[in-house]
Amino acid sequence: MALIALLDLTFKPESLAEARALLRTVLADTRAFEGCLGVEVWVDEENEAHVVAYETWESVEADAKYREFRAGPGKIVELPPLLAAPPSLTKFTADSSI
């Protein structure tokens, strides 16, 4: 079953250029990760420092492996100092009964 993950990030305005450069590198790795079907980045029209990464995963298991990677050897240590607020991650799966 496919999974959609929404990663909501708000960067410090003064860190925006550095944050965008980091995202380009990090998301290239994410897109290449086994089971990733794609990642789109959406920018808030009223606040360019607020972005949402819309990730599509082929399965719950593929997403879990990716999260394990990011919590361990793929941890992004450069990210926290660039953030204005803690990130949030919301995951969605399809419900065919609706």
Side-chain angles (χ1 to χ4, degrees), residues 29-69:
D29 294 340
T30 301
R31 290 178 179 110
F33 200 88
E34 184 177 350
C36 181
L37 301 176
V39 179
E40 293 181 346
V41 177
W42 296 82
V43 179
D44 185 327
E45 284 189 352
E46 296 179 10
N47 177 6
E48 67 180 346
H50 178 213
V51 301
V52 173
Y54 182 100
E55 306 170 10
T56 306
W57 294 92
E58 69 182 23
S59 67
V60 171
E61 296 79 15
D63 174 72
K65 286 180 185 175
Y66 174 73
R67 303 299 159 197
E68 184 178 321
F69 166 72

Side-chain angles (χ1 to χ4, degrees), residues 2-9 50-57 63 67 86-93:
L3 180 137
I4 301 295
L6 300 180
L7 178 61
D8 194 314
L9 302 165
H50 178 213
V51 301
V52 173
Y54 182 100
E55 306 170 10
T56 306
W57 294 92
D63 174 72
R67 303 299 159 197
S88 71
L89 177 67
T90 308
K91 298 178 185 183
F92 298 89
T93 54

Side-chain angles (χ1 to χ4, degrees), residues 7 9 11 18-33 36 39 41 53 55 57 66-67 69-70 74-79 82:
L7 178 61
L9 302 165
F11 296 106
E18 186 179 353
R20 286 178 177 259
L22 178 62
L23 278 181
R24 273 190 290 281
T25 301
V26 167
L27 293 181
D29 294 340
T30 301
R31 290 178 179 110
F33 200 88
C36 181
V39 179
V41 177
E55 306 170 10
W57 294 92
Y66 174 73
R67 303 299 159 197
F69 166 72
R70 286 295 183 205
K75 189 170 187 166
I76 308 162
V77 296
E78 304 90 350
L79 184 62
L82 305 177

